[in-house]
């Protein structure tokens, strides 16, 4: 029994080593499967009480499969357009807080707001999100992929990034916590989905939206969605082989414009009598769904299916401008009102599904409302990253408690949308200069142009057709006051009235 | 003393674990710092017996610094043009063996050979190198970065790749064993070195040579060479932080055409009276040298300098076509004959330096001749990768014994160059349809057009001005026979005589 200390120490160290190793391998892999511009009903999986006519139009068997293995969120939200959503997801901040309220131009210092008679453009962070301080017109934040990377995750970005303008660090996924980047840059849509057009990279025809990094697929007949899927699988081989937990940001360019047909799927919809634009749109959706299924199959084949979380999400509502969409304008998300760009449900309500084997009950459903900035704390919690430091104050709230308990209910939480910008001359319901708030089933839609609020009860009126402002003035006032205070606290960007030179009134200010 | 087995086992396992960990961390990091189109004397570091007039023109203090810390190879060789060299480096095969004898077009199935009256183009592997079998007009090989990756190295490619045409897997560094790729693709030169021109990515002006992945530097005034250096340092942070050995393929686009001035360095050369083209050329070189110094400083700051091997190399001789170079044609490498494209020393002799702390004696020099395919076995040996399997037979010979012993000498080895192609209409000494061989100090230069050989003694006549073929017919015959046999064994591509429809004669065949 001489010198047992040394021996004990060795054994202790060894056990610690084993534990650390076990801990490492137990950490779940996480995939965010993010679709661009996909509406809440752009799938055969119903997110409402029953299947809508739109649900019946589409065919997305792999979303159905994912929902069977996980939890469906029927009240999940994003911002009305993409960069704000993507920035909220990466920073955990509300849009009104980070101030990237509109989509960023690929080019630096380029305010994308359309011209307006009443307003001058708000001073929003038009260059996007930045992982370093002091970059002009950007929001400085600690992004969650960086925290994942620091904690030992192998982080991969594939597809659309669109977090910041070129000439700033946020333009490169390599500055946003990703170890591997494929095809992510400052552009918000692909110049082309077609390998025959080199995804846009044709000599002297390419613009900034030409998709980089996919030369091996040129002229191979590989649709962009498929190429990105193959690239993601290739990139996943390394961490899987090395038993390193991974985070994959699988951010499809689909189903954003240009609405180009995916020849693998388009014909049957034409045969079914869908107009040619919508047939192409549906083919984009079905190609996206195939990608989801392929990745699920890949995880299974690699033996990591049971330790991999998949979070399905879209970054804003379905596009309802027509053209470029088929049909009459703003009918593409009915019964939801409006579409992309709008603070009505059609612009912000998203199809969200979370599969977490062993934690989430298969085929479960939650009506709890959640919003895109919740991804930040939720993903870090899933990964077991605790006590992390961020330069920003995080607004999002982890939805892990919801995942663990389908009966979880919080009706006191306030969700906020803020769009003090002019997206399109064309406009539409809830599009251009609107804010909104939701608390419980109540929703306020506030026009910055008129200073007037509308009030809806979403449980009874998902289509926001029955304005209850006159009937429930106290509720209206409560929500306006709550929204106004938050916007003021965050010093949210506001458009300037051209005549008075004053910013638009805070909600509640004009009551 | 009961059950000592269990305890022993634990201790043994622990010790094994520690050893494995120690072994991992002892494996050296490896950087190949590959310059494009840099001539043997395009630096202030002399690689001959004393400084030449060209050495005196240039200012590359960091190459001098590297040589002081490592070994200078005065007889290092590559192929006359880039894709053949790069393919030999990655595959370990001689050019005549892999059959990628000319530079590959970014576009698939595009024979880059210039038209000729006498010859039809050889059936060479015009689509380049492939990591998968069965790809048309490619050489299938196991590449060493893949073997490094499999053995636990973190592999990074930054800069020019140019191993294969688009539409084939070899176009993407992600298929060539690299975990991270920045800016490597199918193109062989940059459309622009300037951030103000977005490295070529200007709307509707971009061609395939526009450099991808560098959007954060657009309009920042960052010269391409600097941007690639910053990206390399960024990518290195991850393996360094994780104590993982790394391989960095730092493959600069500099100093290939377009010869654009690096404004940080160009003015002083103009002030010194150098013509404007050559002043720009020198500025490209000095920017490259700064990159080398920056990376050396970075390694030191990160504390990994002493465990990092740096191999400095160029992929072919200095360009001697004028224009685009300044001065009279084929004077840019004097006293060496010819330049890029030529099998004379001006086209193939390279400035090579290897720093390996603790192994290579500082300021050492070797005259042992080595060639680019030697990088494959040498790098794997440095990394401690043994008993690896390759689909190809490796021709290269590790130069690690040379590194360990500056007195190492092997004069019996045969080196071979094979260029059965027409690079340029302009032509020049040793350019278009030439093969060559070196054994000891003897060098054979063989014209496929005429079937005639020239013989030089490089020790006495580095400029290849004194053809000794008539004086030493036996030596000529010996080298022709050796070269011819090797080419036949490898079934090396040969141009076809348009009249006879026969391939050009093997060396030795016509004697």
């Amino acid at each position: 029994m001489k010198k047992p200390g040394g021996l004990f120490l060795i054994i202790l160290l060894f056990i610690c080593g084993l534990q650390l190793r076990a801990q490492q391998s137990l950490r779940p892999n996480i995939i965010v499967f993010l679709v661009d511009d996909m509406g809440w009903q752009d799938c055969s999986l119903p997110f409402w009480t029953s299947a809508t006519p739109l649900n019946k139009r589409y065919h997305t068997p792999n979303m159905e499969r994912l929902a069977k293995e996980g939890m469906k969120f029927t009240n999940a939200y994003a911002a009305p357009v993409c960069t704000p959503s993507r920035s909220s997801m990466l920073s955990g901040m509300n849009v009104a807080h980070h101030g990237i309220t509109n989509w960023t131009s690929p080019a630096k210092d380029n305010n994308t707001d359309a011209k307006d008679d009443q307003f001058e453009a708000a001073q929003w962070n038009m260059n996007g999100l930045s992982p370093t301080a002091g970059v002009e017109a950007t929001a400085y934040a600690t992004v969650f992929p960086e925290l994942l990377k620091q904690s030992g995750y192998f982080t991969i970005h594939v597809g659309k990034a669109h977090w910041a303008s070129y000439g700033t660090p946020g333009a490169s996924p390599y500055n946003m916590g990703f170890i591997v980047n494929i095809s992510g840059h400052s552009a918000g849509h692909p110049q082309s989905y077609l390998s025959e057009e080199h995804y846009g990279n044709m000599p002297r025809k390419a613009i900034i939206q030409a998709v980089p990094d996919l030369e091996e697929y040129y002229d191979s007949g590989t649709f962009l969605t498929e190429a990105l899927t193959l690239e993601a699988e290739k990139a996943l081989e390394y961490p899987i082989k090395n038993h390193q937990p991974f985070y994959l940001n699988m951010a499809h360019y689909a189903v954003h414009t240009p609405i180009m047909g995916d020849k693998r799927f388009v014909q049957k919809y034409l045969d079914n009598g869908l107009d040619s634009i919508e047939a192409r749109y549906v083919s984009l959706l079905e190609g996206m769904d195939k990608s989801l299924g392929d990745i699920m199959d890949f995880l299974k084949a690699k033996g990591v299916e049971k330790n991999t979380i998949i979070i399905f999400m879209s970054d804003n509502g379905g596009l309802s401008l027509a053209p470029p969409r088929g049909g009459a304008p703003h009918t593409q998300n009915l019964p939801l009102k409006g579409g992309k760009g709008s603070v009505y449900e059609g612009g912000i309500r998203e199809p969200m599904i979370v599969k977490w084997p062993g934690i989430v009950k298969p085929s479960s459903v939650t009506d709890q409302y959640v919003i895109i900035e919740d991804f930040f704390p939720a993903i870090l919690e899933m990964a077991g990253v605790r006590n992390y430091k961020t330069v920003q104050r995080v607004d999002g709230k982890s939805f892990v408690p919801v995942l663990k308990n389908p009966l979880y209910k919080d009706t006191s939480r306030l969700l906020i949308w803020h769009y003090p910008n002019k997206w399109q001359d064309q406009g539409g319901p809830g599009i251009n200069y609107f804010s909104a708030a939701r608390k419980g089933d109540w929703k306020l839609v506030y026009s910055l142009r008129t200073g007037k609020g509308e009030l809806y009860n979403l449980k009874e009126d998902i289509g926001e057709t029955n304005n209850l402002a006159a009937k429930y003035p106290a509720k209206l006032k409560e929500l306006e006051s709550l929204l106004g205070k938050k916007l003021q606290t965050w010093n949210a960007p506001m458009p300037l009235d051209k005549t008075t030179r004053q910013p638009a009134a805070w909600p509640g200010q004009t009551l």
Side-chain angles (χ1 to χ4, degrees), chain A residues 164-187:
Chain A
S165 303
Y166 65 60
T168 77
S172 168
Y174 286 125
N175 296 323
M176 299 300 245
F178 290 101
I179 298 168
V180 174
N181 168 44
I182 298 157
S183 302
H185 62 144
S186 64

Side-chain angles (χ1 to χ4, degrees), chain A residues 11 41 43 181 201 221 321 330 354:
Chain A
I11 296 169
Q41 296 162 93
C43 48
N181 168 44
N201 298 279
L321 303 178
H330 309 301
V354 180

Side-chain angles (χ1 to χ4, degrees), chain A residues 326-466:
Chain A
H330 309 301
T331 61
Q332 290 75 5
N333 299 296
L334 288 175
L336 302 190
K337 198 166 172 180
K340 179 178 181 180
S342 172
V343 299
Y344 287 119
E345 297 290 298
I348 56 178
R349 197 179 269 232
E350 309 303 335
M352 177 172 162
I353 310 165
V354 180
K355 174 189 173 185
W356 188 353
I359 302 287
V360 167
K361 201 179 150 197
S363 292
S364 55
V365 180
T366 178
D367 294 331
Q368 177 59 46
Y369 50 84
V370 295
I371 190 165
I372 189 72
E373 55 261 34
D374 298 344
F375 278 49
F376 184 110
I379 289 169
L380 289 169
E381 187 177 348
M382 289 167 167
V385 182
R386 293 183 191 89
N387 305 318
Y388 49 84
K389 285 194 177 124
T390 58
V391 297
Q392 75 278 22
R393 181 159 179 167
V394 171
D395 306 310
K397 195 178 158 190
S398 169
F399 48 76
V400 170
V402 185
L403 295 172
K404 291 182 173 170
N405 174 17
L407 300 175
Y408 180 98
K409 202 76 198 162
D410 174 5
T411 56
S412 66
R413 185 176 177 205
L414 184 74
L415 297 190
I416 283 176
W417 296 265
H418 187 53
Y419 196 73
N421 304 82
K422 187 168 182 178
W423 181 46
Q424 295 280 347
D425 284 327
Q426 197 179 326
I431 292 175
N432 302 335
Y433 306 117
F434 278 93
S435 297
R438 175 173 178 177
K439 192 180 175 194
D441 292 329
W442 293 101
K443 181 164 167 199
L444 164 71
V445 170
Y446 179 85
S447 164
L448 302 178
R449 218 187 251 300
T450 65
K452 288 203 174 127
E454 300 166 8
L455 184 71
Y456 299 99
N457 185 307
L458 292 176
K459 195 168 187 181
E460 292 162 7
D461 177 24
I462 202 171
E464 295 164 289
T465 54
N466 186 17

Side-chain angles (χ1 to χ4, degrees), chain A residues 46-282:
Chain A
F47 281 83
W48 201 22
T49 46
S50 59
T52 62
L54 282 169
N55 289 144
K56 286 170 189 164
R57 171 185 294 181
Y58 302 117
H59 182 58
T60 56
N62 293 296
M63 285 181 67
E64 295 179 45
R65 174 180 162 198
L66 187 66
K68 272 192 197 124
E69 299 175 9
M71 180 180 277
K72 191 164 75 170
F73 283 70
T74 62
N75 283 259
Y77 289 102
V81 299
C82 57
T83 313
S85 276
R86 286 159 195 264
S87 299
S88 288
M89 179 179 147
L90 251 63
S91 69
M93 299 163 85
N94 184 270
V95 171
H97 186 187
H98 61 54
I100 307 158
T101 53
N102 203 358
W103 61 280
T104 49
S105 165
K108 198 178 164 185
D109 300 331
N110 190 7
N111 196 322
T112 55
D113 276 28
K115 291 247 180 305
D116 190 69
D117 289 336
Q118 180 184 359
F119 285 135
E120 255 176 41
Q123 291 300 305
W124 61 287
N125 281 322
M126 69 176 109
N127 289 333
L129 196 62
S130 176
T132 47
V135 182
E136 204 183 353
T138 64
Y140 169 41
T142 307
V143 292
F144 79 79
E146 182 63 42
L147 296 170
L148 288 179
K149 184 171 89 170
Q150 283 174 16
S151 86
Y153 270 74
F154 193 87
T155 52
I156 302 165
H157 173 81
V158 177
K160 170 171 162 172
H162 201 197
W163 298 302
S165 303
Y166 65 60
T168 77
S172 168
Y174 286 125
N175 296 323
M176 299 300 245
F178 290 101
I179 298 168
V180 174
N181 168 44
I182 298 157
S183 302
H185 62 144
S186 64
H189 67 83
Q191 187 173 351
S192 169
Y193 283 94
L194 302 180
S195 77
E196 296 76 6
E197 296 178 357
H198 300 183
Y199 313 110
N201 298 279
M202 300 299 278
R204 308 213 185 271
K205 289 184 182 171
I207 53 176
I208 187 72
Q209 284 80 10
V211 184
D213 304 332
L214 299 176
E215 290 186 11
E216 68 180 286
Y217 303 100
Y218 288 5
D219 303 313
S220 67
T222 311
F223 203 73
L224 176 57
T225 308
E226 182 82 11
L228 294 175
T229 307
L230 294 171
E231 287 298 292
E233 291 178 358
K234 193 195 298 175
L236 286 176
E237 296 269 3
Y238 180 78
I240 290 173
K241 202 185 158 197
N242 287 278
H243 306 288
Q244 193 177 353
F246 63 77
Y247 172 71
L248 169 64
N249 205 51
M250 180 72 241
H252 276 295
Y253 279 98
V255 297
H256 198 295
T257 55
I259 300 176
M260 301 174 90
D262 186 332
K263 66 183 172 199
R264 298 173 297 175
F265 309 109
V266 73
Q267 192 57 45
K268 64 181 170 190
Y269 293 103
L270 287 169
D271 294 345
N272 286 345
L274 212 58
D275 82 46
S276 66
I277 296 175
E278 289 305 287
R280 291 201 300 272
Y281 183 72
V282 184

